Amino acid sequence: MIVTKSWLQEWIDLEGISTQELAKTFNSIGLEVDRVHEYRVPAKIVFGKVLECEKHPDADKLNICKVDIGSCTRQIVCGASNVKEGLYVVVATVGAVMPSGLTIKPVKLRGVDSEGMICSAAEIVLPDLGKGIMELDESIGKFTLGQEVNENPLFNDDLIEIELTANRGDCLSIRGVARDLSAAFDRPIKEYEKTDNDEKRGIGRILSLSHEKDLDVNLRYKAIDLKELTLPFIVKLRLGQIEDTRKCDVEAITLYVTHATGVILRAYKHEFFTKNDEPMAKIILGEDKNGYACIKTQEGEVASIVGIIQKDESKVTKNEGIVLLEASYIPPDIISKKMAQKKIESGPMFYKTSRGSEPELTGGLSYCIDLIEANSVSSTFSGNIELSNSFKEKIVIVAKEEIDAIIGANIDKIVITKILKNLGFDVSKSSTDKFVVSVPQFRHDIANKQDIIEEIVRMVGIDNIPAKPFVLEEDNRLEDNYFEYKKRSIFRHRCAQSGFFESVHFVFDEKKVLHSYGFETTKTELELLNPIVQTLDTLRPTLLTGLLKAASVNVKNGYASVKLFEIGSVFTPLREESYKMSFIFSGDKENESLANGGKPQKVDFAFFVQKIADIVGDIELREYQTKHTLSHNYQSAEVFLNGESVGELFRVHPEVEKAYDLQTTFMCELDFAKIPYGLKIAKKSSKYQASFRDLSVIMPKEMSYEKIKDVIAKHAHKEVIRFYPVDKYSDDSLGENMSLSLRFVLQSNEKTLEEEDITAAMDSILNALNSELGIGLR
């Protein structure tokens, strides 16, 4: 596995870590370093720009160029066929000593003065990128004309080749290696965030996916209308460094992204899957004559064998037209056993899939799409087509006592948890001092507690295991109040991680203000006898008014964006105490920056809901009217978690915003006791293939989704395990109606569903929608 320091830097912060320390760390955590190679560009080699380019009068293969090198413009005679006006280049100036030993001097070439040399990659001892000079672009980062090339990290880089054991397929990518470094250095790995540039055309209009039988394969497809793709220089350079290239630019980018993320990507010609110039491409997942999972056309022509090889006929050869991008995952044990039974020709990606590729397909596919869009004028079809199998989660339970006994030393619980979480494991601790470890899908080599302990030893380092001291132990005296405190502590940290600041108030509030907004306060006979002040004369029934006051103070102090939370006690009129968790988000979504042109957008309903979901989990909203008058009449919802009502979420009424000098403001208050906390309970899942069906129905614009959802939930067959809206569409031809597209996931615990079963389930839903709501297919 080949990595470079600059490439790793894109996935983990290596500031202050030398290459020597990096290599030493690799060796200590079991990733043996085979070689280290330095790329060092000599001095006096600078960035330049070709201002003019014309043919040499006495030589057909030479060009006379005027090159801006920052401090001045030089005349340079260049024989490269790709030199042209406007090109950013690397220039060896007069006095530079090339790696070959050549000293650059002013010369005459066929009677024309030349002061310098425009360089190819090989001439400055970078990987050979083919004929011609280097054509630089913005992918190398910021640079100025005349700046020495060796100041840029891409040209002053270190390459490290790692020798991996067969079980470490999770490290066959830059991201995978960075994940191990994350545990070794306790630095977070940088996750890729997709830029949503999808156009209005849905992928369902040009692509469908079906399967012939239950195969243990995960597939995800995106479609892009490719136009004017230019391969960025950084991709050319890094593919040269890993000693791999592709003839087609699209395939070069998929190779680059696969090496970076570990996700196996392929690009197909759209027309390969179409018939008689039809716009719809139909992809079928089935088996070939040898029993391998394969991608084929409706006529049975094989496009690729999943995880092994792609047929040349289906590959993209031009930088234009509709391209289908595929991300795939197949368990390595399946593909390795199959190849041992019936060996066939394999392609360059087989090594990765047989060792274990990255199963999280979304990130790799998004990375690829963004890279193509950034270097072309292409447009991406909205949505995706996917086929997925449920992953049977492996749970390993290991006691702290067992870890210490096997290692022979006392390793701190926090250190153990950090190591496992940084390696991608989901870790929770039970009250019996045991670690409940959920093994991620990409670590197929982890099967038992000994494997978990080996990971801990690997990261701690055998040389760093301290001597075991005498330990005095006492009985566990933790009681329920401790776990309540622990829950509050965890959720306080979650809120802070999502950008909210904690606000703490007295448990008293002003009765007059609370009554004006419709809140019930403590009964008269139970009221406070001696309030601190008249503005704190009752026990608070809500946290909302306190947060409003705090937000108002922050705004008056000049803050354009206010995000506050509080977890605290509230009281019923009978002085019954309970805990609430409340939030307020007012003003700008984010701080001013170059990215938003200094004009950030205001917080909106969807953004605020996502923030709350990031903290408490997957929530559901239902139409709701609050009992108080703080809320906007048309922007309020009841919050549900796991089917149970836990609180309310709303925009603050404009009159209230005005009273507190606030801009657009949203609030949420939840019953803290009802928010789930603790170990997740395993649920039964089917081993059979899931199927997907989309329905587009015409419905009145004013009809709520809640009605449709209730009808479907009431009449859906048991095989319908999930459904959700994916698109809505309206135009003049639909009048007062709109089109709503719903996606259904169907799966049985007894068998793989056949077409008749799926059709019957869909017909039942359509009949119910038609009879109860009077709506039908578009």
Side-chain angles (χ1 to χ4, degrees):
M1 175 63 192
I2 295 176
V3 302
T4 65
K5 192 174 180 182
S6 68
W7 208 346
L8 282 170
Q9 182 72 33
E10 294 180 6
W11 295 92
I12 183 173
D13 181 15
L14 297 177
E15 184 70 30
I17 300 174
S18 67
T19 303
Q20 291 73 22
E21 186 179 353
L22 204 56
K24 182 180 178 181
T25 302
F26 278 137
N27 284 323
S28 68
I29 63 177
L31 306 181
E32 185 180 346
V33 174
D34 193 48
R35 68 182 175 103
V36 177
H37 177 75
E38 296 181 345
Y39 293 107
R40 298 292 183 267
V41 178
K44 296 188 177 182
I45 298 179
V46 302
F47 293 110
K49 182 179 182 180
V50 179
L51 302 178
E52 299 175 14
C53 181
E54 57 185 42
K55 288 291 183 183
H56 192 293
D58 295 323
D60 292 338
K61 294 185 179 181
L62 296 180
N63 296 282
I64 303 171
C65 303
K66 300 290 186 183
V67 183
D68 183 358
I69 58 170
S71 58
C72 60
T73 299
R74 296 293 186 189
Q75 179 173 283
I76 299 175
V77 179
C78 178
S81 59
N82 61 327
V83 68
K84 58 186 176 182
E85 182 178 327
L87 198 64
Y88 287 98
V89 293
V90 170
V91 180
T93 60
V94 173
V97 179
M98 304 299 288
S100 63
L102 172 70
T103 300
I104 303 299
K105 299 177 181 178
V107 295
K108 282 185 180 290
L109 294 175
R110 294 287 184 96
V112 176
D113 291 331
S114 180
E115 298 178 282
M117 181 172 73
I118 304 176
C119 303
S120 68
E123 286 169 335
I124 57 172
V125 199
L126 290 176
D128 189 0
L129 304 182
K131 295 181 180 179
I133 58 174
M134 288 181 286
E135 300 181 33
L136 306 182
D137 55 38
E138 61 185 16
S139 67
I140 67 170
K142 294 182 179 180
F143 62 89
T144 57
L145 299 181
Q147 178 187 359
E148 293 210 352
V149 171
N150 57 23
E151 294 177 11
N152 186 294
L154 289 178
F155 299 90
N156 195 37
D157 207 359
D158 295 317
L159 179 147
I160 303 173
E161 186 167 1
I162 302 168
E163 192 71 33
L164 295 174
T165 54
N167 66 318
R168 293 308 307 276
D170 61 296
C171 284
L172 285 171
S173 67
I174 302 294
R175 181 174 183 258
V177 173
R179 191 162 44 215
D180 263 27
L181 291 178
S182 171
F185 293 123
D186 192 21
R187 297 187 180 187
I189 193 169
K190 302 173 186 176
E191 294 296 340
Y192 181 73
E193 295 183 4
K194 173 176 168 42
T195 304
D196 187 8
N197 294 324
D198 289 357
E199 65 171 36
K200 292 183 179 179
R201 287 186 296 171
I203 190 174
R205 300 183 183 183
I206 63 160
L207 177 63
S208 69
L209 173 64
S210 60
H211 60 279
E212 294 177 341
K213 60 183 297 186
D214 187 14
L215 298 170
D216 199 356
V217 175
N218 286 359
L219 297 171
R220 192 178 183 92
Y221 289 91
K222 291 283 288 184
I224 187 164
D225 193 358
L226 196 62
K227 294 177 184 176
E228 300 178 23
L229 176 63
T230 302
L231 195 63
F233 178 81
I234 192 172
V235 173
K236 297 177 185 176
L237 176 63
R238 286 176 171 170
L239 290 185
Q241 289 171 333
I242 66 174
E243 301 171 1
D244 205 346
T245 57
R246 294 290 186 272
K247 292 180 181 179
C248 173
D249 289 349
V250 174
E251 287 207 322
I253 286 178
T254 58
L255 171 62
Y256 176 85
V257 175
T258 294
H259 195 82
T261 66
V263 177
I264 303 299
L265 295 172
R266 286 200 172 116
Y268 298 93
K269 292 186 288 190
H270 176 261
E271 60 265 28
F272 181 82
F273 296 96
T274 59
K275 182 179 181 182
N276 300 326
D277 296 324
E278 292 176 353
M280 176 67 73
K282 296 180 180 179
I283 294 180
I284 298 173
L285 172 66
E287 287 185 344
D288 70 350
K289 61 183 180 182
N290 296 311
Y292 285 90
C294 68
I295 304 299
K296 57 187 179 180
T297 67
Q298 55 188 325
E299 292 80 28
E301 186 175 1
V302 174
S304 68
I305 299 175
V306 178
I308 297 180
I309 194 169
Q310 181 179 1
K311 304 298 183 181
D312 291 338
E313 296 81 4
S314 68
K315 291 181 179 179
V316 177
T317 56
K318 299 181 294 184
N319 290 339
E320 60 180 9
I322 296 178
V323 173
L324 304 179
L325 291 173
E326 174 198 80
S328 66
Y329 174 79
I330 185 168
D333 53 338
I334 290 178
I335 199 169
S336 299
K337 288 176 183 176
K338 193 69 182 174
M339 187 63 94
Q341 295 167 0
K342 184 74 175 180
K343 192 166 185 178
I344 62 172
E345 181 186 4
S346 61
M349 291 300 169
F350 172 69
Y351 182 81
K352 288 182 183 289
T353 53
S354 63
R355 294 293 184 265
S357 61
E358 173 59 49
E360 201 283 297
L361 306 182
T362 304
L365 203 52
S366 298
Y367 188 177
C368 185
I369 288 287
D370 284 355
L371 189 58
I372 292 174
E373 288 190 325
N375 294 279
S376 68
V377 292
S378 307
S379 56
T380 304
F381 290 78
S382 66
N384 59 79
I385 302 291
E386 63 178 352
L387 180 68
S388 61
N389 277 286
S390 56
F391 166 57
K392 187 177 180 181
E393 195 175 39
K394 285 190 291 185
I395 301 293
V396 178
I397 300 175
V398 57
K400 174 72 165 57
E401 183 178 330
E402 291 175 297
I403 296 173
D404 292 344
I406 293 175
I407 294 177
N410 180 19
I411 307 299
D412 191 90
K413 296 178 189 177
I414 297 175
V415 173
I416 293 171
T417 303
K418 272 187 177 181
I419 287 173
L420 295 176
K421 285 188 174 181
N422 286 336
L423 286 171
F425 295 84
D426 192 8
V427 184
S428 59
K429 286 183 284 187
S430 69
S431 57
T432 55
D433 213 15
K434 291 182 179 179
F435 292 89
V436 181
V437 183
S438 174
V439 181
Q441 193 173 4
F442 58 81
R443 289 307 302 269
H444 61 92
D445 57 316
I446 303 296
N448 50 50
K449 63 181 68 176
Q450 286 78 10
D451 294 328
I452 296 292
I453 296 171
E454 184 181 339
E455 291 298 294
I456 298 168
V457 173
R458 186 167 68 89
M459 289 302 164
V460 171
I462 293 177
D463 296 335
N464 297 323
I465 295 176
K468 185 179 180 181
F470 289 109
V471 178
L472 297 175
E473 296 183 356
E474 61 178 306
D475 291 339
N476 184 1
R477 297 180 182 179
L478 299 181
E479 297 178 354
D480 289 344
N481 58 354
Y482 168 78
F483 296 106
E484 290 174 3
Y485 160 77
K486 189 68 176 176
K487 179 181 178 180
R488 292 196 300 271
S489 177
I490 286 173
F491 277 98
R492 287 174 62 232
H493 282 88
R494 286 189 189 177
C495 294
Q497 288 163 359
S498 292
F500 287 86
F501 291 87
E502 186 170 19
S503 183
V504 181
H505 303 90
F506 287 116
V507 294
F508 310 112
D509 207 339
E510 187 174 2
K511 185 188 299 185
K512 185 173 77 172
V513 172
L514 291 167
H515 283 172
S516 70
Y517 291 125
F519 290 99
E520 285 189 80
T521 58
T522 308
K523 288 187 176 295
T524 305
E525 61 271 22
L526 299 175
E527 272 292 9
L528 303 175
L529 296 178
N530 295 298
I532 300 173
V533 291
Q534 289 305 311
T535 54
L536 298 173
D537 57 355
T538 189
L539 290 168
R540 63 183 179 185
T542 179
L543 307 178
L544 298 175
T545 51
L547 288 177
L548 275 170
K549 294 171 189 174
S552 181
V553 172
N554 277 272
V555 168
K556 290 173 183 176
N557 285 330
Y559 290 94
S561 178
V562 179
K563 294 172 281 187
L564 303 175
F565 80 94
E566 182 173 3
I567 302 174
S569 297
V570 296
F571 299 85
T572 69
L574 296 176
R575 294 184 72 163
E576 295 166 329
E577 184 180 5
S578 63
Y579 271 96
K580 298 279 188 182
M581 180 164 65
S582 297
F583 303 85
I584 187 169
F585 196 141
S586 180
D588 297 342
K589 278 185 180 180
E590 57 193 356
N591 294 327
E592 295 179 359
S593 66
L594 286 175
N596 56 43
K599 296 180 181 180
Q601 295 180 341
K602 302 300 178 188
V603 61
D604 54 44
F605 193 89
F607 186 80
F608 182 65
V609 169
Q610 185 59 57
K611 280 287 185 183
I612 302 302
D614 290 343
I615 296 168
V616 302
D618 190 14
I619 61 175
E620 181 181 349
L621 303 181
R622 296 182 187 174
E623 192 173 344
Y624 179 71
Q625 288 294 326
T626 63
K627 295 179 181 178
H628 54 77
T629 58
L630 289 178
S631 64
H632 193 290
N633 295 341
Y634 304 108
Q635 294 190 52
S636 59
E638 189 173 11
V639 181
F640 285 79
L641 266 172
N642 300 326
E644 182 182 15
S645 175
V646 297
E648 60 187 19
L649 181 152
F650 55 89
R651 178 181 170 180
V652 175
H653 195 283
E655 292 297 327
V656 180
E657 291 175 347
K658 183 178 179 181
Y660 285 93
D661 294 324
L662 300 175
Q663 298 187 41
T664 305
T665 303
F666 289 86
M667 301 191 78
C668 176
E669 185 161 76
L670 306 174
D671 187 338
F672 194 66
K674 293 181 180 179
I675 299 175
Y677 166 73
L679 295 178
K680 293 182 179 179
I681 299 175
K683 295 180 180 179
K684 183 178 179 181
S685 60
S686 174
K687 65 179 180 179
Y688 297 101
Q689 187 84 25
S691 299
F692 297 80
R693 284 294 184 274
D694 289 355
L695 293 180
S696 293
V697 296
I698 297 293
M699 58 179 280
K701 290 181 179 178
E702 67 274 8
M703 182 180 289
S704 69
Y705 172 67
E706 193 70 28
K707 290 184 178 181
I708 295 176
K709 179 183 173 185
D710 290 343
V711 171
I712 294 176
K714 185 167 63 173
H715 294 279
H717 289 194
K718 64 178 181 179
E719 288 81 7
V720 177
I721 61 172
R722 186 160 57 99
F723 64 91
Y724 49 91
V726 293
D727 188 27
K728 67 176 183 178
Y729 172 77
S730 62
D731 58 24
D732 293 340
S733 65
L734 295 176
E736 295 300 317
N737 295 327
M738 72 173 185
S739 171
L740 177 68
S741 294
L742 300 166
R743 178 158 297 162
F744 294 84
V745 184
L746 301 97
Q747 193 174 32
S748 170
N749 289 325
E750 289 79 30
K751 64 175 183 176
T752 299
L753 293 176
E754 298 179 358
E755 190 63 34
E756 293 80 3
D757 303 319
I758 298 170
T759 301
M762 293 296 97
D763 286 345
S764 174
I765 291 168
L766 283 171
N767 292 336
L769 290 173
N770 187 39
S771 62
E772 296 193 21
L773 299 178
I775 62 176
L777 284 176
R778 180 180 173 187

